[in-house]
Amino acid sequence: QVQLVESGGGLVQPGGSLRLSCAASGSIFSVNAMGWYRQAPVTQRELVAAITSGGATNYADSVKGRFTISRDNAKNTVYLQMNGLKPEDTAVYYCNADVKTTTYLRSSEYWGQGTQVTVSS
């Protein structure tokens, strides 16, 4: 079993910053791509940023230049540094990881529990 534990969400003023963290633990053989998704009320969940095991990144157009995704492979942890936050960034943020466990031959996707980010004055 694999668990993804998120932290770092909260309430922030427009223009402020937050740093989200997500640590994977459990019967892990390897962690492949990791990413952050978000979902606001009555919207679809959307990809915010993703990072491969080698460090290649991809961002949604709406967050380019403001958010930075990074990872610490030794800690099986992915981060999302969010700067210049806007009200439209308000959402529940979920981390995602493609993980190969010590039990199964194929990798599987796992999700964190979600952390609320609210940007409001």
Side-chain angles (χ1 to χ4, degrees), residues 8-91:
L11 174 64
V12 65
Q13 299 263 1
S17 298
L18 286 172
R19 191 189 193 209
L20 306 183
S21 299
C22 177
S25 62
S27 302
I28 297 172
F29 181 81
S30 64
V31 179
N32 304 310
M34 305 183 81
W36 290 94
Y37 292 72
R38 68 186 181 189
Q39 186 168 19
V42 303
T43 68
Q44 292 183 276
R45 186 173 298 186
E46 65 173 343
L47 176 66
V48 177
I51 184 167
T52 69
S53 60
T57 59
N58 184 51
Y59 297 92
D61 288 342
S62 60
V63 307
K64 286 181 179 177
R66 299 187 297 121
F67 291 10
T68 302
I69 189 170
S70 61
R71 64 190 289 166
D72 184 335
N73 290 334
K75 297 180 179 179
N76 290 325
T77 299
V78 63
Y79 306 93
L80 186 67
Q81 178 66 47
M82 304 184 293
N83 299 325
L85 284 162
K86 304 175 180 179
E88 53 262 44
D89 295 318
T90 296

Side-chain angles (χ1 to χ4, degrees), residues 4 6-7 36 92-95 111-116:
L4 302 182
E6 303 177 22
S7 62
W36 290 94
V92 177
Y93 284 69
Y94 299 88
C95 68
W111 292 89
Q113 79 282 3
T115 184
Q116 177 71 48

